[in-house]
Amino acid sequence: MTQIIKDIERAAEALHRGAVVAIPTETVYGLAGSIYSDEAIKKIYEVKQRPYSSPLIAHIPNIDVLSELCSDIPQVAYDLAEALWPGPLTLVLRKQKSVSGLFTSGNDTIAVRMPAHKLTLELLQYLGEPLAAPSANPFGQVSPTTAAHVYQYFKGQIPYILNGGPCTVGIESTIIGFEEGRPILYRRGCADERIISKIVGKPNEMLLSDGKSKAPGMLLRHYSPRTSLRLCEANEISVTLSEHAHLKTGLITFSRAVAHPDVTNIVLSPEHCLEKAAAGLYAALHELDNKGLDIIIAEKFENEGIGMALNDRLIRAAASHRDVKQNTSGVAEFIS
Ligand code: TXA
Ligand code: MG
């Protein structure tokens, strides 16, 4: 049986004995286990059906813990952490030898962040050890932003879901690493771009040059609902709806409501606020996915700032195997 609780002591007791517990963060809910328990880490991979080749993120209660997990930490990493933690930024750094290779998929680097969620920070303080926490969804599916989303995925498989209310950021953290001293952006998110560029300049984007992603969150098909998803430009909504007139259709728009008798339309932010749209995007995908529709159509965002992070998630969510081919250098391309 899975219980939805608010009591960090019960969650901590379960985590201490090697159980896996879902926890809230400001970005998405995580499926947590002690990073010092190989048993818990194995359970996370099993429950999520995640390949062992995808490393996890360590969640810590304060910056001081960084040096317990990482070595050779560059000053810019401290500067980023001081400016943006607690918050939706993950840093990839060289790991300490004491960190299990199971946790890092055998890499000599480790991803770490300090989440901005009161309940989870209290839990981390109380526990006294960092938690591994990938997003609490089966591998490749849409991340959960409420306790109810997690329950739908994992009821009966984990003892507790710590309920911290709906996530306020709504998409996964920005991930930045360093290769040969250069900052590399592994995943776009909602961490403040202006602050990042003041500290590290504009990070290079991760290139899939060898066709092998260093950040599994960058797999082409990811964050996907069961219902097929089609993206369209803001000025193509009417045409796209008429192309699918014979289907039961859900529509996600940024700020404009589209009146159409047979279409369920979720407007993410009538006030045209990208932060609000991010906070609501996954909940909208979950809600429409539960309606037994034939198709979900989503409007693309302007490709700037958080809009780019949202488009990144939408493009991956919409990618189906037949939409994608690998080009000769192994770089995935969209063909529709
Ligand atoms: O917002 C978030 O980051 C959420 C919440 C729960 O904190 N967590 C999350 O975890 O999104 P997950 O496991 O779904 O995504 C982990 C990402 C993957 O893209 C993975 O490749 C990257 O972190 N990652 C982990 N270790 C890495 C490493 N050593 N080098 C590069 N990327 C790494
Ligand atoms: Mg994930």
Side-chain angles (χ1 to χ4, degrees), residues 212-213 245 249 255 326:
K212 203 177 144 212
S213 173
T249 303
S255 54
Q326 299 280 325

Side-chain angles (χ1 to χ4, degrees), residues 105-139:
S105 306
N107 289 302
D108 60 1
T109 52
I110 178 171
V112 186
R113 83 180 194 97
M114 177 181 173
H117 194 289
K118 193 169 171 285
L119 205 56
T120 288
L121 284 174
E122 279 170 23
L123 172 69
L124 288 165
Q125 296 279 9
Y126 182 87
L127 260 179
E129 50 191 65
L131 288 173
S135 52
N137 49 279
F139 187 65

